[in-house]
Amino acid sequence: MVSAVRILLYRGDGQTGPWAEDFARLLPGVETVSWREGETLPACDYAVLWNPAPSLLPQLSRVKAIFLMGAGADAVLKFGAALPNVPLVRLGDAGMAVQMAEYVAYATLRYFRRFDEYEEQARHGLWAPLPPHAKQDFTVGVMGLGKLGLRVVETIRGFGFPVRGWSRTAKDLPGVDCYAGMASLDEFLSGTRVLVSLLPLTAETNNLLDRRRLATLPKGAYLINVARGAQVAEPDLLTLIRSGHIAGATLDVFRNEPLPAPHPFWEEPRITITPHISALTVREDAVRQIIDKIAAFEADQPVADIVDRQLGY
Ligand code: NAP
Ligand code: GLV
């Protein structure tokens, strides 16, 4: 049980009020403080934040840990050495994995069951059943077999699709063809009809899906990117969609967000766009998880989901 800790709450969008309410409700005795540009941060035990202002970072060197309000650490790690050397803890699932599974299942089924084509037909008042795709031709390849990727794999397998996964370290998952490391990436891609990215954005995954790798996917492949936009070379994706090699894409994340207008993706009917909503932070679940992790820190117990700064996730 944690008592009497002081926590800095900070969000780039300023929306910390509901977080303060949840902490007050779920952790009696907690004191939460906020910070604004130009202010001196009072002594705090922990920081809980998202999209920090660069000028806040040096003031965090005395906290015991920095907790992120999301799963990806890239937006904080990008500050490099300016980020104080205290443990950085990301959210581990906390209600996001099931949302990812819903989103990827929807996008996969929409393409597999040709609902995208039926939507278009219906707009033109056309009643025309299309030949169904064969499931054995629809291997779903999930890049990233972490907290979110594993839940997606389990869900997609439940529909009976052949599933393969790719990760940095080797895995052994029942019913899943597992590939690991860069040396196996081309082989993984060459047999993947629906490619899902659930990789963190790191030095290794930045621009990973370039023209050559996207072209390694079989003709008619489909991309679902729910991880980070910078993993995909956007002009290359567009070229391959326009050439017909890639059938289309459902994209939740982009190199620049919000996706600017004009951007050719907005004009491409084979690209479905959502505004980075595939898995939203469930605030209450996140606060409960952070409180448990603070208790672990206070008791000198192991804490899950500490970001490895060398690996970048
Ligand atoms: P995680 O548990 O850390 O899993 C990351 C997975 O990626 C692991 O399987 C890891 O391999 C693999 N990986 C990392 N670097 C790799 C590389 N160079 N080559 C091959 N595999 C590599 O992360 P998570 O919680 O599942 O989250 C994944 C990402 O989803 C986040 O980083 C974030 O960017 C994104 N996300 C997006 C949204 C959204 O709304 N769009 C919401 C939440 C998260 P190992 O298993 O071998 O370590
Ligand atoms: C959202 O993109 C997250 O990383 O939690």
Side-chain angles (χ1 to χ4, degrees), residues 52-279:
S55 56
L56 172 61
L57 300 177
Q59 306 200 52
L60 297 177
S61 57
R62 282 175 296 130
V63 299
K64 295 181 208 172
I66 299 171
F67 291 95
L68 301 177
M69 294 171 176
D74 49 296
V76 173
L77 290 177
K78 73 176 181 204
F79 292 112
L83 185 65
N85 193 19
V86 299
L88 180 64
V89 192
R90 66 185 196 89
L91 291 180
D93 181 353
M96 285 186 274
V98 67
Q99 297 176 64
M100 278 304 181
E102 291 161 1
Y103 187 104
V104 173
Y106 170 77
T108 302
L109 294 173
R110 181 168 176 257
Y111 176 50
F112 171 67
R113 294 294 308 268
R114 311 188 75 158
F115 293 140
D116 49 351
E117 293 166 86
Y118 287 119
E119 284 163 18
E120 182 61 18
Q121 289 190 174
R123 271 193 286 275
H124 296 94
L126 189 62
W127 178 283
L130 300 165
H133 290 306
K135 210 164 246 180
Q136 66 269 24
D137 298 337
F138 261 73
T139 296
V140 179
V142 179
M143 310 174 85
L145 299 172
K147 292 266 161 51
L148 308 183
L150 285 175
R151 180 67 180 257
V152 166
V153 161
E154 184 188 304
T155 302
I156 293 296
R157 245 171 63 71
F159 288 110
F161 289 99
V163 178
R164 52 176 56 190
W166 184 71
S167 53
R168 192 178 55 79
T169 58
K171 306 264 184 285
D172 183 9
L173 304 172
V176 181
D177 289 333
C178 293
Y179 297 77
M182 287 294 169
S184 71
L185 181 55
D186 284 0
E187 191 189 346
F188 165 82
L189 292 173
S190 65
T192 290
R193 180 76 181 270
V194 177
L195 179 65
V196 180
S197 179
L198 270 165
L199 293 166
L201 180 62
T202 67
E204 282 209 337
T205 65
N206 189 27
N207 271 323
L208 185 75
L209 297 175
D210 60 9
R211 188 175 186 142
R212 191 193 67 74
R213 294 210 176 94
L214 288 169
T216 304
L217 293 164
K219 187 168 164 50
Y222 194 90
L223 173 67
I224 300 171
N225 189 7
V226 279
R228 287 293 183 265
Q231 291 165 9
V232 179
E234 292 182 343
D236 293 345
L237 175 62
L238 206 57
T239 302
L240 285 158
I241 288 178
R242 287 178 174 162
S243 76
H245 184 78
I246 293 187
T250 293
L251 305 176
D252 184 50
V253 288
F254 303 87
R255 191 165 293 265
N256 294 309
E257 295 181 5
L259 183 66
H263 187 290
F265 282 180
W266 289 114
E267 310 303 325
E268 175 47 66
R270 286 162 290 191
I271 295 181
T272 298
I273 292 168
T274 54
H276 201 139
I277 49 74
S278 51

